């Protein structure tokens, strides 16, 4: 996604860039563009990625500067790692067993840097704040990832797989991780992959509901998490 944002920012002579400027942006500055439910899944991901980049870089100008550098992906990842040095999970998020997009979303979720509705309202965007998964509570990271009935079902199953007490907050995950999951053994790497995959899939489910109006039962999401982790592990073991 970052490479597409870089193409837009540097105005790369490219058919896709010209199409986006003509039919999506229509004269609006990319950095000020607001999503609506009518936008595609791909474009929604680009805008979410843009918001995540601004969070990482602190300012839009710094985000633009980063994108102009030849090694911008490495610099962005290093910035993520530096910002996350306070919690133990950060040190191993970069594990090659983890899916790349799970690493980015996992790091942002742990730091409460994802563009949840409460974070967007703090940035001055006036939006109705209601959790799209349960439609009965305002959306903030603790609710979305743990308190919502949907996420609670997912974490309850994950905790059963891991044979640990229910994981009810980012801090609980961090403490469990600190106590039991540091190290390079395959079992520990697989557990960490499972944690990041669960965080990512909950966030992805929220985005699918917001931008596409599609809802998945928790049981289907749990199956997907199990499948993705098993698939990743099979590639490493082969
Ligand atoms: Zn909810």
């Amino acid at each position: 996604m970052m490479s597409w944002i870089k193409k837009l920012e540097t105005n790369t002579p490219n058919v896709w860039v010209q199409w986006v400027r003509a039919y999506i942006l229509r004269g609006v500055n990319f950095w000020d563009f607001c999503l609506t439910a009518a936008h595609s899944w791909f474009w929604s991901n680009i805008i979410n990625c843009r918001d995540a980049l601004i969070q990482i870089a602190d300012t839009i100008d710094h985000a633009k500067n980063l994108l102009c550098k030849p090694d911008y992906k490495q610099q962005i990842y290093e910035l993520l790692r530096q910002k996350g040095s306070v919690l133990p999970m950060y040190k191993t998020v970069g594990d090659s067993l983890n899916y790349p997009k799970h690493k980015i979303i996992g790091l942002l979720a742990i730091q409460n840097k994802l563009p949840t509705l409460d974070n967007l309202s703090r940035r001055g965007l006036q939006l109705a704040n209601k959790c799209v998964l349960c439609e009965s509570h305002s959306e903030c990271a603790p609710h979305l990832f743990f308190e919502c009935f949907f996420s609670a079902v997912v974490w309850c199953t994950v905790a059963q797989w891991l044979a640990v007490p229910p994981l009810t907050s980012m801090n609980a995950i961090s403490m469990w991780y600190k106590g039991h999951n540091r190290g390079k053994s395959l079992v520990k790497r697989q557990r960490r992959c499972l944690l990041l995959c669960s965080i990512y899939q909950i966030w992805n489910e929220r985005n699918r509901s917001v931008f596409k109006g599609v809802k998945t039962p928790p049981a289907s999401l749990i199956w997907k998490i199990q499948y993705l982790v098993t698939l990743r592990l099979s590639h490493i073991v082969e």
Side-chain angles (χ1 to χ4, degrees), residues 131 133-134 143 148:
C131 170
L133 298 180
C134 67
H143 172 78
C148 187

Side-chain angles (χ1 to χ4, degrees), residues 131-137 143-144 147-149:
C131 170
V132 73
L133 298 180
C134 67
E135 299 180 353
S136 63
H137 195 282
H143 172 78
L144 178 66
E147 295 160 10
C148 187
F149 82 94

Side-chain angles (χ1 to χ4, degrees), residues 54 56 89 126 172 225:
I54 296 169
I56 295 162
M89 276 181 73
Q126 301 298 317
I225 291 168

Side-chain angles (χ1 to χ4, degrees), residues 8-28:
L8 276 171
E9 173 56 22
T10 55
N11 217 7
T12 304
N14 172 291
V15 173
W16 179 80
V17 170
Q18 290 173 5
W19 182 84
V20 166
R21 291 203 177 284
Y23 295 103
I24 297 183
L25 294 176
R26 298 181 183 182
V28 176

